[in-house]
Amino acid sequence: VKSQYEKLIAENPERVWISSCCSSINRWIALYHPDALEYLAPVFTPIQVHAKLLKQRFPDAMVAFITPCISKKLERYENDSSIDFSISFEELENLFIQAGVVLETDEEPEACYLSRNFPIDGGILSTLEKAPAYHYVSVSGYHSCLQAIRDIVEGKITNCFVEMSLCEGSCI
């Protein structure tokens, strides 16, 4: 996903691109701001890419997606989705409680994958190799995203990658 964004920027340095990682943003733009669709990066969401890779490597695997986002759960039902099951963090926590499962951990996970930053405000931007003379901005929350979309459509923003998350502060 990161590499696809970098490629779009390199091939179109004058363009404005809106990140396509946030399912809520993707749906919101499609339904309520179709004039901004041309700015939405034509890149699959990280879970769609990951699920396709898992199915390629392990054709018989069942892919379960655990997410903090109710909107991202819908990706399981999109055309050509490779996701077999989706469940929210809250639903999983309730299942654990009902089953009497207690998770214990004393260790912090290794931060070996850049994509671990994606659900954090500014996380996508933190992974990108920055192109000279190109601008990068992260916005989150309904009102900030609405203003950014208006500014983009009105031509007030140019040669810029806009990381957008509909939830204030991003996913987590």
Side-chain angles (χ1 to χ4, degrees), residues 9-27:
I9 292 165
E11 292 175 353
N12 305 279
E14 72 292 342
R15 288 276 324 250
V16 171
W17 293 110
I18 298 172
S19 62
S20 55
C21 288
C22 176
S23 296
S24 296
I25 286 292
N26 299 345
R27 284 178 179 69

Side-chain angles (χ1 to χ4, degrees), residues 2 6-7 20 48 68 75 81 89 97-98 106 112 159:
K2 158 197 157 14
E6 291 168 344
K7 182 178 177 185
S20 55
Q48 292 293 354
E75 289 190 51
S81 176
F89 287 177
I97 290 168
Q98 290 171 9
D106 293 331
C112 57
N159 69 316

Side-chain angles (χ1 to χ4, degrees), residues 25-46:
I25 286 292
N26 299 345
R27 284 178 179 69
W28 186 51
I29 288 174
L31 292 172
Y32 302 106
H33 302 283
D35 51 339
L37 274 171
E38 68 181 278
Y39 303 101
L40 193 59
V43 176
F44 286 112
T45 64

Side-chain angles (χ1 to χ4, degrees), residues 23 27 45 47-48 51-52 63 65 67 69-88 91:
S23 296
R27 284 178 179 69
T45 64
I47 185 54
Q48 292 293 354
K52 286 181 190 317
V63 176
F65 178 38
T67 178
C69 178
I70 196 73
S71 179
K72 289 197 83 57
K73 284 183 63 175
L74 294 175
E75 289 190 51
R76 184 248 186 267
Y77 302 102
E78 291 178 355
N79 293 337
D80 299 326
S81 176
S82 296
I83 302 167
D84 297 299
F85 304 98
S86 60
I87 187 170
S88 71
E91 291 167 328

